[in-house]
Amino acid sequence: MFQAGVLDDAPKTYIDSIAGLSFDKKVLLQNSLVDKFSNISIIDITQTIKRLLGLIDQMTSAINFMALLSALASIGVIFSITRHQTQLRQKDFNLLKVLGASLSDILKMVFVEFSLLGFSAAICGVLISISASYALAYVVFDRAWAMNWTYPILVISLTVILSTSIAWLATRKTLQLKALRLLNS
C-alpha cells in the first residue's frame, strides 16, 4: 500500500522453517545464527508438533474404540429386536406354515423385511454423516468439501448384509419349529 522506500528502515519480522535436519545439525545452526544475529528469536516447535500429533492419535484411537463399541451394541440391539419380533409373530409364521408356505418362503419374507430395514437405516445414517461432514467442512474449517462414495456404499452394503445375517440367526430356531407343536401351545 505504501510507496517503495517508505518502510525500508522499519523493523521487520521474517518467519522461516527448516525441516529435515538432525538434532545435532539443528542445534549447530541455531547457535551459529544466534551468534551472528543477536536480535534473532528462534522457536523450535518440533516438540509441540510431536505432542499435538500424539494427542490426535489418542483422540483417533478413542473415537475408533467408541465406534467399535457402538457397532457391537447395535448388533445386540438388532438381534434382540429381531428375536422379539419373531416371538411376537410366531402364530403368524405358524399360520403361514399351515397354509402351505415353506420354510424358505418365510425366510425370504424375513430377509426382505430386515434387508429393507437395514437399507433404510443405513441410508439415514449415511445422509446424516454426509450432512455433518459437509457442515463441518464449510462452517468450521472453511474448506471445500469433497465426497468419496466408496465408504457410504460400503457402509450401506455391510449394514444390509449384517442385518439380514442377524435376522437369520435370531429367527432360525423359531421358524424351524413344527406347526403342530405351535398349535398345541
Side-chain angles (χ1 to χ4, degrees), residues 7 15 34 40 44 46 50 54 71 84 90 128 134 139 144 166:
L7 295 176
I15 298 176
V34 169
I40 194 169
D44 187 6
T46 307
K50 284 182 183 177
H84 180 70
Q90 193 171 22
I128 289 170
Y134 178 81
V139 175
I166 292 172

Side-chain angles (χ1 to χ4, degrees), residues 49-60:
I49 296 296
K50 284 182 183 177
R51 182 173 290 159
L52 183 63
L53 289 175
L55 287 173
I56 290 172
D57 285 342
Q58 288 176 350
M59 287 175 33
T60 302

